[in-house]
Amino acid sequence: MSFRVLIVKMSALGDIVHALPVLDYLHQASPGIEVDWVVEESFREILEGNPLISQSHIVRTKVWRKHLFSLSVWNEISVVKTALQNRKYDFVFDIQGNIKSGVVSWLSDCKRRYGFAKADVRESLNTRFINNCIPLRRQDYHISDRALRVISVPFGKDYTEFSLHTDISTSLEDDLNAETFIATLSDSFVIVIHHGTTWKTKLWYEEGWVELGKRLLKSYPDANILLSWGGEEEHKTAQSIAEGIKGNARLLPELSLKGLTAIYKKVDLVIGGDTGPLHIAAAVGTPTVSLYRATDGKRNGPRGDLARIVQSPLPCTKCLNKECKRDSECKESITVDMMQQACDELLAFNGDSSDKTN
């Protein structure tokens, strides 16, 4: 029997990337399945071209909330509702767990809507829109595994028994542009630093990035250090970091998400915090070193031999606070030595490998 299912995971960028393994699970567990996905307009690009997705439904919930009494907004919502209901889904999976994702799931009019149990949702009202609330197990600690638990229930096949893979599609043009850019660099390691994140308490300190960059160039004199960024504020900080590192350090140009992904596929290492671009790099198989302060690297970080997690050693780490009086102390608790050791381990591994999968 062939099923048609809907994934409701609308935001944010890193969370969507973490959820991508559900696609491989669904197609392995039920060959011939059709999988649709609801995504916020600002993140639609990350799903475009994915051969495992039949249709994407685009929503603009921020706009909707700001103009809730606008006729055009209600018309837009009506169009989404009709599109969802016309697909006649067998299952809807809300793997976001807040009110807006619950409402979208309910709008589908699907009779079998799966989501998290009340103890595991971000907003408890979410469960009012879900009629199959799935409790998580102790082994479902990682954010990807949480989604996989919910997805797997109606198929009766435990996700832990599957070998799952992810990828993010890029166009031939994006790949060629990335290849052209990489060809302008020296024939040595290409390392990307992405310093920015959306939370202040996920950032590292600028002097740390500068010192790490200098040490990497001292250890690998012919290496290239690229700084990726998003938005004017991140651009300014990236420029300051590059100027502090000097040598073979330079900024990447302004890129689309797919353009950035294409670059990440071709580099040797991406270093950053708990942020979407870092998770994109991991999803396409690029080695990553990532640092964690307010969040838990064992829950949110990339996994596998090509990933190194650096967690703040402070006893209050993983606090989930977006503001903190000990912010400076927390930043500096992650030392340059800790970050350099993690980078050296992966660069040594990469240097010993004669075949890098892109």
Side-chain angles (χ1 to χ4, degrees):
M1 179 179 179
S2 180
F3 294 106
R4 179 178 290 162
V5 305
L6 177 68
I7 304 298
V8 182
K9 187 69 169 181
M10 302 181 287
S11 60
L13 178 59
D15 293 331
I16 293 170
V17 174
H18 279 310
L20 290 177
V22 305
L23 293 170
D24 193 20
Y25 171 86
L26 288 167
H27 283 273
Q28 287 191 49
S30 182
I33 196 170
E34 289 185 60
V35 185
D36 292 0
W37 197 301
V38 181
V39 64
E40 292 280 359
E41 184 177 45
S42 54
F43 303 119
R44 66 185 299 174
E45 188 181 355
I46 209 67
L47 301 179
E48 288 176 348
N50 192 313
L52 301 183
I53 297 176
S54 296
Q55 288 189 21
S56 292
H57 298 279
I58 310 304
V59 296
R60 303 195 303 157
T61 60
K62 288 184 179 180
V63 174
W64 295 352
R65 287 198 301 269
K66 288 181 180 179
H67 306 283
L68 192 57
F69 299 105
S70 166
L71 180 60
S72 63
V73 163
W74 281 100
N75 287 338
E76 196 172 312
I77 294 172
S78 179
V79 169
V80 172
K81 176 183 176 182
T82 300
L84 293 175
Q85 293 184 0
N86 284 346
R87 293 289 282 166
K88 301 186 184 303
Y89 295 109
D90 297 292
F91 307 115
V92 170
F93 299 104
D94 177 358
I95 52 175
Q96 184 144 338
N98 56 20
I99 295 172
K100 66 181 181 181
S101 63
V103 170
V104 170
S105 300
W106 174 74
L107 287 175
S108 72
D109 202 32
C110 177
K111 305 305 178 186
R112 290 177 285 187
R113 302 187 298 275
Y114 289 78
F116 299 110
K118 194 170 186 178
D120 301 306
V121 294
R122 298 178 183 178
E123 299 169 351
S124 60
L125 284 177
N126 169 269
T127 58
R128 298 289 185 92
F129 302 98
I130 303 301
N131 51 25
N132 292 278
C133 297
I134 309 303
L136 298 176
R137 301 180 182 180
R138 282 181 297 176
Q139 64 264 41
D140 305 328
Y141 188 70
H142 194 273
I143 191 169
S144 296
D145 294 344
R146 291 163 57 91
L148 285 163
R149 177 61 63 196
V150 172
I151 295 289
S152 66
V153 168
F155 298 97
K157 299 176 181 179
D158 197 301
Y159 72 87
T160 60
E161 299 174 3
F162 290 73
S163 177
L164 301 175
H165 303 279
T166 62
D167 194 14
I168 298 171
S169 300
T170 49
S171 70
L172 178 60
E173 181 181 3
D174 288 325
D175 293 337
L176 288 174
N177 287 339
E179 187 66 42
T180 299
F181 181 84
I182 295 296
T184 67
L185 307 176
S186 64
D187 186 19
S188 183
F189 288 127
V190 181
I191 302 165
V192 175
I193 290 174
H194 189 92
H195 74 281
T197 74
T198 53
W199 292 19
K200 178 182 177 182
T201 50
K202 290 182 180 181
L203 294 169
W204 201 31
Y205 62 112
E206 186 175 327
E207 295 81 4
W209 287 120
V210 171
E211 180 60 24
L212 177 62
K214 287 182 175 180
R215 291 192 189 186
L216 289 172
L217 289 181
K218 183 176 181 180
S219 298
Y220 313 98
D222 296 325
N224 308 271
I225 295 182
L226 307 175
L227 288 100
S228 53
W229 52 276
E232 187 57 34
E233 185 175 347
E234 285 190 13
H235 180 268
K236 289 179 180 178
T237 304
Q239 184 68 53
S240 177
I241 293 170
E243 290 173 356
I245 296 172
K246 300 178 182 178
N248 288 342
R250 58 190 283 195
L251 267 63
L252 281 167
E254 185 173 10
L255 296 165
S256 66
L257 283 177
K258 289 297 184 79
L260 184 65
T261 302
I263 289 285
Y264 282 174
K265 286 182 177 183
K266 298 183 180 299
V267 305
D268 298 289
L269 178 66
V270 175
I271 316 167
D274 182 6
T275 185
L278 185 284
H279 299 304
I280 287 174
V284 298
T286 298
T288 60
V289 171
S290 48
L291 63 94
Y292 298 82
R293 304 199 290 118
T295 53
D296 183 355
K298 290 184 178 179
R299 179 184 182 274
N300 291 17
R303 297 179 289 184
D305 293 338
L306 297 182
R308 294 294 184 274
I309 301 298
V310 181
Q311 185 80 43
S312 166
L314 293 182
C316 52
T317 192
K318 312 172 190 176
C319 64
L320 296 179
N321 292 327
K322 293 185 178 181
E323 297 284 342
C324 182
K325 294 180 180 179
R326 301 178 68 184
D327 186 56
S328 295
E329 179 186 0
C330 185
K331 286 178 181 177
E332 294 178 11
S333 72
I334 296 176
T335 67
V336 177
D337 285 344
M338 294 161 66
M339 294 291 288
Q340 182 183 11
Q341 179 180 346
C343 293
D344 286 342
E345 289 175 7
L346 288 179
L347 290 172
F349 178 84
N350 203 337
D352 291 340
S353 174
S354 60
D355 180 24
K356 181 180 183 295
T357 301
N358 288 322

